[in-house]
Amino acid sequence: MIDFRPFSLVCIFILVVLSFACLIRAILGPKIADRIVAVNMIGTMTMAIIALLAVYLDEVNILDICLIYAVISFVSVIVLTKIYIGLYNERKSEDGRKKEEEHT
């Protein structure tokens, strides 16, 4: 049987480095949509890290935590997107009101 433990450890390290790169993207932006995508990527990579950690430790129970984290990550991205859409629609309606006031 093939031992995947060293390979999974290397993959975990690579995913941690990439998660920090996404964290930098989430902080710097430049747009809110970029930040939401970066937060989604951090959640996805965290799930992959948890799954690889389950392989490394040979513990199947850790995969349950991965599934719970997937649901939490999905809900958080949906909430962030909903807030972003609300802010976008609010700005759009304010810009429309300003243009109507300028034309009258």
Side-chain angles (χ1 to χ4, degrees), residues 15-16 19 39-53 66 69-70 73:
L15 286 172
V16 167
S19 294
V39 168
N40 190 19
M41 282 301 301
I42 290 171
T44 303
M45 283 191 251
T46 303
M47 288 182 284
I49 289 170
I50 293 171
L52 286 169
L53 190 64
C66 184
Y69 190 84
S73 176

Side-chain angles (χ1 to χ4, degrees), residues 18-90:
L18 292 175
S19 294
F20 278 115
C22 285
L23 181 65
I24 292 170
R25 174 53 59 198
I27 292 170
L28 296 179
K31 297 180 182 178
I32 296 175
D34 295 331
R35 292 180 174 141
I36 292 173
V37 170
V39 168
N40 190 19
M41 282 301 301
I42 290 171
T44 303
M45 283 191 251
T46 303
M47 288 182 284
I49 289 170
I50 293 171
L52 286 169
L53 190 64
V55 170
Y56 182 75
L57 296 175
D58 198 25
E59 289 287 329
V60 182
N61 298 333
I62 297 176
L63 293 176
D64 295 334
I65 297 170
C66 184
L67 290 173
I68 292 169
Y69 190 84
V71 172
I72 292 171
S73 176
F74 174 73
V75 170
S76 67
V77 169
I78 293 297
V79 168
L80 285 173
T81 305
K82 199 80 162 141
I83 291 170
Y84 172 67
I85 289 172
L87 291 174
Y88 175 77
N89 288 336
E90 187 177 314

